[in-house]
Amino acid sequence: MGMKMKERLDKFIASQTELSRKLAQKAIKEKRVTVNGAVISAAEIKIDTDSDTVALDGKPLTYKKYVYYMMYKPSGAVSATEDSAERTVLDLIPPQMKRTGLFPAGRLDKDTTGLLILTDDGDYAHRMLSPKKHVVKRYIATLDREPDEGVAERFADGIVLGDGTVCKSAKAELLGSKRAALEISEGKYHQVKRMFAALGYHVEALERVRIGALALDKRMHPGEVREMSAEEAARVFE
Ligand code: URA
């Protein structure tokens, strides 16, 4: 597949797992690494990322330049890479899916649930989050009371938050049972909660269900994470 790529064994292992370069070298010394089935104890040998099979502790590492994960973020996890006291979304990634440099592309509040993308592709995340791209995010908010008919029009006109921040026109739909969908293309701090607050509603629960044309996989449960195909990852920009 594609261009032949030669890479140092320790560097390859560090890029495909959560091990640092140092720990990758240690694993090689400890004879935990095989290349095409043979134990290799020299970190500096060059492997071919297309045709060689590297295994760590008996588990083959399939070469991937970048990974794109879909997470159904549960309430209670913070969208950060490290947090001394709190559980982060990275703590929910199974060990075999962990990679050096993995981070959440965008943030959801601690109590917000739903679609969160994690990747180690900084360029992808940058494009997704760039205000110029106008990637639309769809949220379902559960409010403290049934929203009035006029809410959709107010959001469509572009509302002003309590502190004077102006929001772009956003599309809202009333869904019944105190629920409303809101689609925004910006990512201001607590934006959905503050937009509803500006109209006198309190958001009691918030779930992100779509980014661009990429929908949260309904078969997933809160706390679950799975790898996406390249096609799925690209849907964000559709
Ligand atoms: N808007 C919010 O208020 N919170 C989120 O987590 C995302 C959007």
Side-chain angles (χ1 to χ4, degrees):
M1 275 183 294
M3 207 172 37
K4 277 220 185 304
M5 277 271 289
K6 293 271 187 191
E7 193 153 53
R8 268 180 67 117
L9 184 58
D10 55 350
K11 194 168 170 224
F12 175 81
I13 291 166
S15 75
Q16 303 300 303
T17 68
E18 63 170 330
L19 297 184
S20 64
R21 189 88 171 251
K22 254 214 163 87
L23 285 177
Q25 287 167 359
K26 189 163 173 272
I28 294 166
K29 274 213 190 86
E30 291 168 350
K31 304 194 188 306
R32 290 164 58 199
V33 174
T34 57
V35 177
N36 303 329
V39 172
I40 299 291
S41 46
E44 68 278 5
I45 71 141
K46 292 268 172 85
I47 58 119
D48 185 323
T49 57
D50 282 339
S51 56
D52 288 331
T53 302
V54 178
L56 173 65
D57 298 328
K59 286 185 211 88
L61 306 174
T62 2
Y63 174 70
K64 284 169 198 149
K65 188 157 198 260
Y66 298 119
V67 293
Y68 306 90
Y69 295 156
M70 173 186 288
M71 177 179 284
Y72 190 158
K73 182 191 169 297
S75 179
V78 297
S79 301
T81 46
E82 258 175 68
D83 198 290
S84 49
E86 310 230 53
R87 184 169 65 128
T88 74
V89 291
L90 282 182
D91 295 331
L92 298 168
I93 308 275
Q96 71 277 10
M97 287 176 78
K98 285 198 174 154
R99 305 246 295 191
T100 311
L102 196 64
F103 68 99
R107 284 167 179 264
L108 291 176
D109 296 336
K110 184 177 173 184
D111 61 354
T112 299
T113 58
L115 178 57
L116 186 70
I117 295 174
L118 295 106
T119 184
D120 51 358
D121 182 349
D123 185 57
Y124 171 88
H126 182 79
R127 282 188 292 134
M128 179 181 135
L129 300 171
S130 162
K132 286 187 216 128
K133 294 277 177 191
H134 304 290
V135 173
V136 173
K137 286 140 288 190
R138 182 180 172 92
Y139 293 88
I140 307 290
T142 307
L143 306 171
D144 55 343
R145 61 198 165 85
E146 203 58 58
D148 301 327
E149 292 287 341
V151 159
E153 218 176 296
R154 296 285 304 277
F155 283 141
D157 289 343
I159 61 153
V160 181
L161 303 180
D163 67 352
T165 306
V166 179
C167 295
K168 292 208 174 100
S169 172
K171 198 173 118 197
E173 274 169 69
L174 308 189
L175 303 174
S177 313
K178 301 185 189 171
R179 293 182 319 135
L182 183 61
E183 296 186 2
I184 58 172
S185 60
E186 305 169 281
K188 300 183 197 299
Y189 183 65
H190 294 330
Q191 182 162 351
V192 174
K193 291 175 185 167
R194 289 160 74 213
M195 284 176 74
F196 278 107
L199 301 185
Y201 299 96
H202 179 71
V203 173
E204 302 201 317
L206 188 61
E207 182 154 284
R208 181 158 65 190
V209 294
R210 209 169 65 215
I211 301 174
L214 177 71
L216 175 65
D217 185 341
K218 293 206 175 73
R219 291 162 300 189
M220 289 174 77
H221 301 286
E224 263 187 79
V225 57
R226 69 160 174 82
E227 190 168 2
M228 290 192 284
S229 65
E231 288 74 22
E232 279 182 295
R235 262 181 229 160
V236 158
F237 303 108
E238 280 169 24

